[in-house]
Amino acid sequence: MSQDAFYLTTPIYYPNAPPHLGSAGTTMMADAMCRYRRLAGDRVWFLTGTDEHGDKIAQAAAKEGISPRAFADRMVALYVEEWRRLGITNDDFIRTTEPRHEKVVQRILQDLWDRGEIYLGEYSGQYCYGCERFYTEKEIVDGKCPDHQVPLTFIKEDNYLFRMSKYQARLIKHLEDHPDFIQPDRYRNEVLGFLREPLQDLSISRPRARLEWGIPLPFDPSHVTYVWFDALINYVSALGDPDGEKYRTFWPAIHLIGKDIVKAHGIYWPTMLWAANIPLYRGLRVHGYWSVEGRKMSKSLGNVVGAWTLAEKYGREVIRYFVLREMPFGLDADFSEEAVVGRLNADLANDLGNLVSRATTVIVNFGGGAVPAPGAAGPDEAALAAAWGRATGEVAKAMDEFAFHRALAAIWEFIGGVNRYVDTQAPWTLAKDPARAERLRTVLWTLAESLRGLGIVLDPFLPEAAGKIRAALGASAPRLADAEWGRLPAGAKVAKVSGLFPRVEVKVAEPAKSADTPAATTTSPRISLADFQKIDLRVAEVIEAEKVPKSKKLLKLTVKLGEETRTLVAGIAEHYAPEAMVGRKVVIVANLEPATLMGIESNGMVLAGSSENALGLVALDRDLPPGAKVR
Ligand code: MSP
């Protein structure tokens, strides 16, 4: 890979159903990342596509009485169109039914067969048609697929198997030596957790008699390969000939995926690459899952949300902003229209939209329609310049970690600072006093410089709004390198911008009033059951506890939640000694956005009751395993 090449992929989606907020969310994140890398000057290759073989598509097509190919063609067009409408800038779109892909899959299969990496065996096990894979005894929950909640089917058949097991030790070592390979850490730990159990060989084929819709094995055409052995290879097949320019420039890739397919990408794929003598990918970046108003998004619940439907209602940039800002990267997040409207009105209309409108208006009205030459900068300007430096520094750091939410939070911190600057400097008052003309020019220049910076750094996240901000200042194509404070020359014409993000009014249903309703006994406003269900309460076992240095109140706790271990900071040190906490089971809020307290990232909150001087931890009166849900 050459120095500045950046190759990013999304999962290739199953086109058995149209795109929805989940697939669109991943694709928008990938798009924001690729736009950011292009802004930074990298050579970017951005791949997405569709995974078209297998039972899922064959069954959906059979239901409609059409061929899998005709079905796939129709559905894939929906994906291509959706990404176009959402403004996705992918460089390529791969379909696993394309000859360019099938050719590479067959070449790799033949090579692995020739070198004994694949063998014919018998495979039997519990199979889920929805996931198109076998489940091990450990993974099965109550005899059902943990994902689809349906009974599994016992299948016994001839299968070709890939000798994945022989790579187990090597993969563990690789993960230990390269902590950055899979991130965030919780997913690296999840993969290491899988690798604590003996790794099985991987079944990669199906008898053609049972499934036609796959790629025939070149050494035994009575079998087809499909799903993972087919799909994962898209990431290399899309680059064409391994000796070609594109392949040599861009491989190895960074793969962006949702948490549902960590095992395939964290275990199958690196071992397949080793077997095929292809260099490993650069990194796997994993995001969490969207729920809808506290519930899993699923067809059967009828709550599948379409990104374009929302974009038509609120604007595509609003949905894009929501997805990037609302989901802490790696953790789950909840979608609701109320939350979208909240972000739109507060962050986009109020903070950003108002700033752009106020700043361009005062420059045009009091600066003669152009950026004036500034006078001497005072402490307020220096503070804003420093805030800009902090914001851009944090954006760079956050984007290295795919933490879109943190990048945006940092930019909004700056926007808040500029809004306060307009308020305190009150250019409209300065304009009334000719003796303060120089000060006015400094303030107007500072505002224009703030907008210039925002027009650059917002580009990956809000490309249209950023374009409008740049256009208002007559700025040219954005480059991250230009986002350095102080570069704005005087003299550029400025145009007023208004209504960048119009507010949306929400109608909140009035609660029915009744004359004989007893006086409320609660002290807080009531919330709906759906709102309460958004709070994920869990039993957690404290495995380590220590005082946070220099803090009277805080204890740092390491807790176990099922398989997962995490760190929390709790304000209980004045009431509980660290040693009294170890081994105790507490109840925590498990889905709070992480917060940093005294430099320690806290992932959740311990529940306790308190009165004036006393504090008591919420406890269970029977023993429950760590991770159990509290309702
Ligand atoms: N075809 C496989 C992937 C093969 S990649 C070599 C597949 N397809 S899928 O259509 O099911 O897409 C799964 C991906 O869609 C997730 O990894 C994630 O990127 C996205 N999402 C689908 N539902 C989602 C949510 N509810 N929330 C967040 N992302 C979701 O698996």
Side-chain angles (χ1 to χ4, degrees), residues 1 5-11 33 171 174-175 178-185 187-188 191 232 235 250-258 261-262 264-267 269-270 273 279-287 329 400-402:
M1 196 194 68
F6 182 83
Y7 174 30
L8 188 70
T9 67
T10 71
M33 180 53 73
L171 185 54
H174 187 81
L175 287 167
H178 302 89
D180 205 36
F181 189 59
I182 300 177
Q183 278 295 318
D185 257 341
Y187 299 108
R188 173 172 173 263
V191 171
L232 289 162
Y235 300 134
F250 291 109
W251 187 257
I254 294 183
H255 302 307
L256 174 66
I257 60 166
I261 48 179
V262 165
H265 284 77
I267 298 184
W269 186 221
L273 288 167
L280 288 193
Y281 57 78
R282 249 171 89 184
L284 184 63
R285 300 293 172 259
V286 187
H287 66 72
F329 191 77
D400 271 351
E401 296 167 29
F402 280 63

Side-chain angles (χ1 to χ4, degrees), residues 10-17 20-27 29 50-52 56 79 227-228 230-235 256-262 264-265 287-292 296-297 327 332-333:
T10 71
I12 48 170
Y13 306 108
Y14 292 129
N16 60 328
H20 54 61
L21 185 72
S23 43
T26 312
T27 311
M29 285 183 209
T50 41
D51 181 2
E52 302 178 24
K56 240 186 233 206
Y79 281 79
V227 189
W228 295 111
D230 168 8
L232 289 162
I233 289 175
N234 91 87
Y235 300 134
L256 174 66
I257 60 166
K259 67 176 186 181
D260 52 333
I261 48 179
V262 165
H265 284 77
H287 66 72
Y289 242 49
W290 286 103
S291 56
V292 174
K296 189 175 171 184
M297 182 164 47
M327 179 177 264
D332 293 346

